[in-house]
Amino acid sequence: MSITAYGTPNAVGEEAEADTCSPGLACLLIDREEAERLAGMLKAIADPTRLQIFRLIERAPTGEACVCDLAECLGFRQPTVSHHLKLMTDAGLLNKERRGTWSWYSVNHSGLRKLRDILEPSAH
């Protein structure tokens, strides 16, 4: 994740404002494109059905799940589940592997790490 510093402390000789509300905020921002990617990931997982799907895949004994099994667990039709899986795959949260006529999904650990990094910044 790239961080950009905006705003610098006053140069020597410039007076500091007397009415500041915080003691020198560092203004370390996430790069705008990275922030948009992360927001897309958060939007993709911020749905009750998608959270359920993600948890099912994450806890699957083999670390992966087929669309047909997910549809059966959730009680949804396969096209509905496929729609949710596509959103999470496009966002970088899941990996997809085609086997014959079915697709198998697993957690994209790199994508999950990116979410954890933004949600748990002190872990760095």
Side-chain angles (χ1 to χ4, degrees):
M1 171 175 15
S2 84
I3 308 264
T4 306
Y6 286 96
T8 56
N10 289 335
V12 176
E14 289 182 15
E15 282 188 37
E17 288 185 31
D19 276 345
T20 59
C21 62
S22 70
L25 183 61
C27 292
L28 297 175
L29 297 176
I30 299 170
D31 175 72
R32 184 63 186 198
E33 287 181 23
E34 181 70 8
E36 288 174 2
R37 277 191 295 277
L38 289 168
M41 293 174 87
L42 289 167
K43 286 177 188 176
I45 197 73
D47 174 90
T49 300
R50 291 193 282 274
L51 283 170
Q52 288 178 315
I53 291 170
F54 190 85
R55 184 55 57 93
L56 284 169
I57 294 169
E58 185 180 45
R59 292 185 175 175
T62 60
E64 62 183 4
C66 177
V67 175
C68 60
D69 293 330
L70 292 167
E72 185 178 319
C73 281
L74 294 161
F76 293 140
R77 295 186 40 206
Q78 184 269 331
T80 301
V81 175
S82 290
H83 166 74
H84 289 292
L85 290 165
K86 179 179 178 2
L87 291 174
M88 290 191 290
T89 301
D90 290 349
L93 294 167
L94 297 177
N95 299 314
K96 176 183 175 180
E97 182 182 333
R98 190 104 175 143
R99 297 183 199 157
T101 58
W102 294 105
S103 294
W104 290 76
Y105 293 84
S106 61
V107 172
N108 180 328
H109 292 285
S110 174
L112 186 57
R113 219 174 356 265
K114 286 180 183 180
L115 280 184
R116 284 190 176 135
D117 286 350
I118 194 68
L119 296 173
E120 300 173 353
S122 61
H124 296 272

